[in-house]
Amino acid sequence: MKKTLTVFTPTYNRAYTLHKCYESLKRQTSRDFKWLIIDDGSTDNTKELVLKWKEESDFEMTYIYKKNGGMHTAHNTAYENIDTELNVCIDSDDC
């Protein structure tokens, strides 16, 4: 079933705090969303963390790694990959 909302999160070396956003999304009662993580060239363990969450999560997640270009390029990458009617940006430490 196609989701209505994409929650996208641009991130750069934020593995130490990204779990706050993930935990918050796990607590949502509606599952009519997908989480799109745009990794803007992180050199920490963001990728490994997100891939582990993808295996255990009960909601759809997409991880995209791109060369570092700044937050505006991460937003542009997100918009190029959103296929839902609605979207919202949630920062990597938001909950």
Side-chain angles (χ1 to χ4, degrees):
M1 177 182 221
K2 186 172 177 172
K3 304 298 182 185
T4 304
L5 173 68
T6 297
V7 176
F8 73 91
T9 302
T11 187
Y12 175 74
N13 287 340
R14 304 280 284 175
Y16 70 94
T17 192
L18 190 59
H19 69 92
K20 294 177 185 178
C21 187
Y22 174 64
E23 293 297 328
S24 179
L25 291 171
K26 280 179 33 177
R27 288 190 299 272
Q28 301 307 304
T29 55
S30 171
R31 288 294 184 253
D32 189 19
F33 70 92
K34 56 173 87 173
W35 190 25
L36 173 61
I37 302 100
I38 306 297
D39 186 341
D40 191 33
S42 293
T43 57
D44 63 3
N45 66 327
T46 296
K47 180 178 182 177
E48 293 78 15
L49 197 59
V50 172
L51 293 179
K52 180 178 130 259
W53 292 338
K54 279 183 71 165
E55 290 178 13
E56 68 186 36
S57 178
D58 67 346
F59 56 87
E60 185 179 341
M61 295 173 61
T62 302
Y63 173 80
I64 297 175
Y65 181 89
K66 61 178 272 326
K67 183 179 175 183
N68 182 262
M71 186 177 289
H72 65 287
T73 65
H75 277 249
N76 290 342
T77 299
Y79 292 128
E80 291 167 0
N81 288 276
I82 292 171
D83 63 356
T84 57
E85 178 183 355
L86 304 171
N87 69 81
V88 63
C89 178
I90 304 294
D91 201 14
S92 56
D93 62 350
D94 286 347
C95 53

